[in-house]
Amino acid sequence: MPHLIARLQNVPIETIREILERDKAFHNQNNMFLEHLWQNADNQNEVQFLFKIDTIEVTRTLINKLHSEALAQDAHANLPEMTYLE
């Protein structure tokens, strides 16, 4: 099953945890199931989170759309870096 690792900087892990909990229904509706959330031990300004996903291309299309919309509203939006794994 494919996975998605998201890496985000300069946002406290507590904030990310709250956001992921708030967005859980949306993620689940889009076949993105949160498995882990980590604080980088070597960089306290970085968190990483892992989703199990159904299809890389479907998820990539959704993420690209959401990120494009966020950047259209704020060209300097702090968005996670995505890595797709098979």
Side-chain angles (χ1 to χ4, degrees), residues 35-75:
E35 292 192 332
H36 297 286
L37 172 64
W38 297 280
Q39 177 81 51
N40 183 336
D42 295 322
N43 180 354
Q44 293 297 307
N45 289 320
E46 179 181 293
V47 295
Q48 296 187 20
F49 38 104
L50 177 71
F51 287 99
K52 180 171 52 172
I53 60 176
D54 283 344
T55 311
I56 289 175
E57 286 310 314
V58 170
T59 302
R60 186 189 320 262
T61 299
L62 173 65
I63 297 297
N64 287 344
K65 177 182 178 270
L66 294 172
H67 284 189
S68 293
E69 290 170 358
L71 290 171
Q73 292 180 3
D74 178 0

Side-chain angles (χ1 to χ4, degrees), residues 7-42:
R7 183 176 71 106
L8 186 60
Q9 300 209 15
N10 302 317
V11 180
I13 193 167
E14 298 82 18
T15 302
I16 296 302
R17 187 174 285 119
E18 291 171 10
I19 292 168
L20 291 170
E21 183 61 35
R22 184 187 69 216
D23 294 347
K24 183 177 182 176
F26 174 80
H27 289 137
N28 289 351
Q29 286 175 333
N30 287 284
N31 298 309
M32 298 173 62
F33 305 97
L34 183 66
E35 292 192 332
H36 297 286
L37 172 64
W38 297 280
Q39 177 81 51
N40 183 336
D42 295 322

